Amino acid sequence: PSQRSSDLTFGLYSGAMKIVEAQKIYAEMKSCNACIMRQGCTQVVTYDGMLDDTPLLLIVGEAPGADEDREGRPFVGDCGILLRQALRATQILKKNNTIISNTLKCRPPNNKFPQDKNIARFCMSKWLDKEIEAIEPKRMLLLGNIPLGFVAGLAGITKVKNTWITVKGIRTLPTYHPSYVIRRMNEGDMETRQRSEEHTSELQSLA
């Protein structure tokens, strides 16, 4: 067989193995009961997207809210609607190339991210780190200060927003969390949404 044929076969095999590994991780994640966060939520929220192909983009938010806890998928409430509108506007959001996830997999009490950072570190080391390793996305989109801190080890979203950085060997774009954009819109600031959508369009090369 030709070198090209061999490379293609290896690529397909490698992609299939990554999908199997990711599916295994998500199945184990669904039944996780390893920390106190599980006690106050309805279910573990794993991911949204399809694993039929190798995902090009991994989107990481903060934690599930009430809507996500009820439906079992991340970003299905108002924040999810705004996020998907921005991504669809630039032809980025495709079921077979985008995985949407969170730093925490369980809804925190009162939708307040836990003050004990060890909880998030434990959850990330148990799940998100493995998720990233299995999926091997070409790009990541970090939504807000929480994933910026826990995934990239940086602080201050306003300082690094919409600036490409490298995290775990992956080109990564930090930007505002949709909840911040919604708050600004409710205060009459429509420019924040426009700027956020413009910067998100930098991911359009993945479409």
Side-chain angles (χ1 to χ4, degrees), residues 177-196:
H177 193 279
S179 62
Y180 171 80
V181 178
I182 290 174
R183 285 198 304 272
R184 297 294 295 174
M185 288 169 57
N186 290 338
E187 294 169 0
D189 176 10
M190 302 303 293
E191 291 184 6
T192 298
R193 174 175 181 174
Q194 182 179 351
R195 290 196 301 270
S196 179

Side-chain angles (χ1 to χ4, degrees), residues 7 24 36 39 42 49 53 59 63 75 83 85 95-98 102 110 128 148 170 175 183 194-195 199:
D7 289 345
K24 179 182 176 182
I36 60 172
Q39 299 173 10
T42 303
D53 199 355
I59 301 174
F75 285 92
L83 173 65
Q85 284 176 345
K95 281 290 186 179
N96 66 340
N97 78 354
T98 303
N102 273 311
N110 301 315
L128 185 59
L148 178 67
I170 303 166
T175 192
R183 285 198 304 272
Q194 182 179 351
R195 290 196 301 270
H199 293 307

Side-chain angles (χ1 to χ4, degrees), residues 11-204:
L12 292 173
Y13 174 78
S14 177
M17 290 301 294
K18 286 196 293 183
I19 291 171
V20 169
E21 181 62 24
Q23 288 173 333
K24 179 182 176 182
I25 290 171
Y26 286 129
E28 293 175 352
M29 186 190 301
K30 197 68 179 173
S31 59
C32 180
N33 195 28
C35 76
I36 60 172
M37 295 298 295
R38 181 64 184 87
Q39 299 173 10
C41 66
T42 303
Q43 59 185 315
V44 179
V45 178
T46 55
Y47 75 102
D48 190 32
M50 290 180 65
L51 293 171
D52 292 345
D53 199 355
T54 302
L56 299 176
L57 175 63
L58 174 63
I59 301 174
V60 183
E62 298 179 0
D67 294 323
E68 290 76 17
D69 186 43
R70 182 175 56 255
E71 296 194 25
R73 296 186 298 120
F75 285 92
V76 295
D78 291 341
C79 289
I81 292 172
L82 184 62
L83 173 65
R84 286 171 174 79
Q85 284 176 345
L87 295 175
R88 287 194 183 102
T90 52
Q91 304 299 310
I92 295 169
L93 190 64
K94 297 179 182 178
K95 281 290 186 179
N96 66 340
N97 78 354
T98 303
I99 294 293
I100 303 176
S101 189
N102 273 311
T103 306
L104 284 185
K105 308 305 181 182
C106 292
R107 180 194 180 192
N110 301 315
N111 282 357
K112 299 293 184 182
F113 202 86
Q115 292 184 344
D116 185 354
K117 293 183 179 180
N118 288 326
I119 294 176
R121 291 193 184 103
F122 175 78
C123 185
M124 181 171 169
S125 64
K126 186 169 181 61
W127 296 123
L128 185 59
D129 285 344
K130 295 177 183 178
E131 193 176 354
I132 294 171
E133 183 178 354
I135 293 174
E136 292 185 342
K138 294 190 185 316
R139 301 285 187 274
M140 283 197 295
L141 182 64
L142 304 182
L143 303 176
N145 273 312
I146 296 298
L148 178 67
F150 285 97
V151 180
L154 300 174
I157 190 68
T158 56
K159 296 178 182 178
V160 297
K161 68 179 186 303
N162 312 314
T163 300
W164 286 102
I165 58 177
T166 300
V167 179
K168 302 178 185 297
I170 303 166
R171 287 201 73 200
T172 301
L173 187 68
T175 192
Y176 290 129
H177 193 279
S179 62
Y180 171 80
V181 178
I182 290 174
R183 285 198 304 272
R184 297 294 295 174
M185 288 169 57
N186 290 338
E187 294 169 0
D189 176 10
M190 302 303 293
E191 291 184 6
T192 298
R193 174 175 181 174
Q194 182 179 351
R195 290 196 301 270
S196 179
E197 290 180 349
E198 288 173 353
H199 293 307
T200 304
S201 68
E202 294 185 33
L203 292 163
Q204 193 164 5

